[in-house]
Amino acid sequence: MFQRILIANRGEIALRVIRACKEMGIESVAVYSEADRGAPYLDLADQKICIGPATASESYLKIPRLISAAEAADVQAIHPGYGFLSENAHFAEVCRDCKIEFIGPPPEAMQRLGNKNEARKLAKQAGVPVVPGSEGLIESDEDALRLAKEMDFPVLIKAAAGGGGRGMRVARDEASLLSGLVSARQEAESAFKDGSLYLEKYIEQPRHVEVQLLGDREGHIVHLWERDCSLQRRHQKLVEESPAPNLPDKVRKAMCDAAVRLAKTAGYYSAGTCEFLVDKNHKFYFIEVNARIQVEHPVTELVTGIDLIKAQIRIAAGEKLPFAQRDIVHRGCAIECRINAENPAINFRPSPGLITRWQPPGGPGVRLDSHAVAGYRVPPNYDSLVAKLLVYQPTRTEALACMRRALDEFVVEGIHTTIPIHRDIMRLAAFRDGLVDTTFIERTWQKKS
Ligand code: MV4
């Protein structure tokens, strides 16, 4: 096992990895930017190293700085967390060249799955249902028009290098298809330096259900069931839960098995997630793979009892999975609310600053993953996630009651947070009945600016 690990991340996920290391008897090395200097969670690591200025591109994204810190601290492995360099195949390769274990999937699988069109090809090869669409990339306007007419409008233009909703355009007719191709190509070109596009049939009001995977370096892959992440706003998830409400058991099982087939075909290991859209008839379609640990991983930890961070570390150290598929039991219901330093009343505007009061909820069935404390200053430079509030109960009805209670206990002063909207969401009939899809917030939320 590793003696020492560097954590190439910040905030709650850095703390989550520090805690896992501590319990495993591994020393942790935290890195921080000038904006995070003095953050209390850094003192829980065995060592902390400043890696540069506040700007992420000069610190948390700067590969030479991270490698220098890793060499100076003499670590055997790097945990990238989520975001930042977590899905950067080049970084994983640099780690390999420097004889430092990257705690994540192999760079080859990351590279291949990072291209959404390649991931689609892999899925087809693995017998995983994909959204009807183009065979490969769009070669010309004529090509796109012919395809769109064949599959019938509306269609969705997607960037091969995209993901998380960037470089996407819905086209409901020929004119919007032609203009959408131009703007999507431009956006993809400037965002990813790759303007290649493909087409899919547009699935109206889909649910977003994803399957958690875990694989070892010997090719054993298991799924840890699904999470429903349909409640989101502008591609930012607000609530995640498991099991997915109102999902027939047959569909759920087929989706989980499909995810495992895809991971095997891709030569995947470590933790990963296979994302699916589910339409109104409960048909599911693969959309993309997240080749990293995700924000919402604790939902799965609660319903399976498996520590995903520890599993990632053990797999990176070459250990075999200590369980088979039949050993993985899904029990009860877990719900997560993402608490962001944002003001929901002013269009979710970021609300960084000093937390003057922080009174977290507790009691039975409550888990709070957070690096925040009273007196902590939320920096304006990064993602505004300040806490993940989770509940775990035998049934969804009990989980909802527990979450309402926990949200009511939670007091934060000095900054605005998304706690009030979660209090509203947990009382919505549509959410209670498991009826929300990915367009719910946009369709029903009162827009303010
Ligand atoms: C779609 C779709 C409808 N039809 N593909 C958004 C981000 C990326 N992961 C894929 N996304 C979508 N792909 C087809 N063919 C709708 C979305 C989508 C979405 C998906 C998951 C979670 C939230 C979403 C919000 C808007 C659109």
Side-chain angles (χ1 to χ4, degrees), residues 126-205:
V128 173
V130 298
V131 189
S134 51
E135 274 303 318
L137 298 173
I138 298 168
E139 305 288 350
S140 65
D141 285 1
E142 296 72 46
D143 194 27
L145 277 170
R146 183 182 47 77
L147 268 164
K149 281 185 206 154
E150 261 173 40
M151 56 188 172
D152 212 4
F153 286 102
V155 298
L156 190 60
I157 306 163
K158 291 190 176 184
R166 291 208 293 173
M168 288 194 340
R169 292 290 183 284
V170 182
R172 296 193 178 272
D173 50 44
E174 292 190 19
S176 63
L177 177 62
L178 293 174
S179 63
L181 287 170
V182 175
S183 62
R185 192 173 288 119
Q186 269 172 359
E187 189 175 319
E189 190 65 56
S190 69
F192 320 114
K193 297 182 183 69
D194 177 358
S196 48
L197 305 173
Y198 63 102
L199 271 195
E200 280 181 1
K201 173 80 185 161
Y202 181 57
I203 310 292
E204 306 262 16
Q205 302 186 9

Side-chain angles (χ1 to χ4, degrees), residues 90-164:
H90 171 64
F91 180 53
E93 266 170 10
V94 173
C95 288
R96 182 186 278 174
D97 292 344
C98 296
K99 311 252 181 316
I100 300 167
E101 216 48 71
F102 175 82
I103 303 174
E108 296 75 21
M110 270 167 104
Q111 179 84 53
R112 185 110 198 254
L113 294 167
N115 184 301
K116 307 305 160 192
N117 186 51
E118 291 294 315
R120 214 173 124 79
K121 281 191 211 160
L122 274 173
K124 286 189 208 169
Q125 205 182 312
V128 173
V130 298
V131 189
S134 51
E135 274 303 318
L137 298 173
I138 298 168
E139 305 288 350
S140 65
D141 285 1
E142 296 72 46
D143 194 27
L145 277 170
R146 183 182 47 77
L147 268 164
K149 281 185 206 154
E150 261 173 40
M151 56 188 172
D152 212 4
F153 286 102
V155 298
L156 190 60
I157 306 163
K158 291 190 176 184

Side-chain angles (χ1 to χ4, degrees), residues 131-132 156 158 163-166 168 200-204 206-208 229-230 232 235 237 275-277 287-288 438-439:
V131 189
L156 190 60
K158 291 190 176 184
R166 291 208 293 173
M168 288 194 340
E200 280 181 1
K201 173 80 185 161
Y202 181 57
I203 310 292
E204 306 262 16
R207 282 168 65 186
H208 170 137
C229 311
S230 298
Q232 57 85 48
H235 304 295
K237 292 168 185 164
E275 286 187 12
F276 296 94
L277 297 179
I287 46 170
E288 51 191 74
T438 55
T439 64

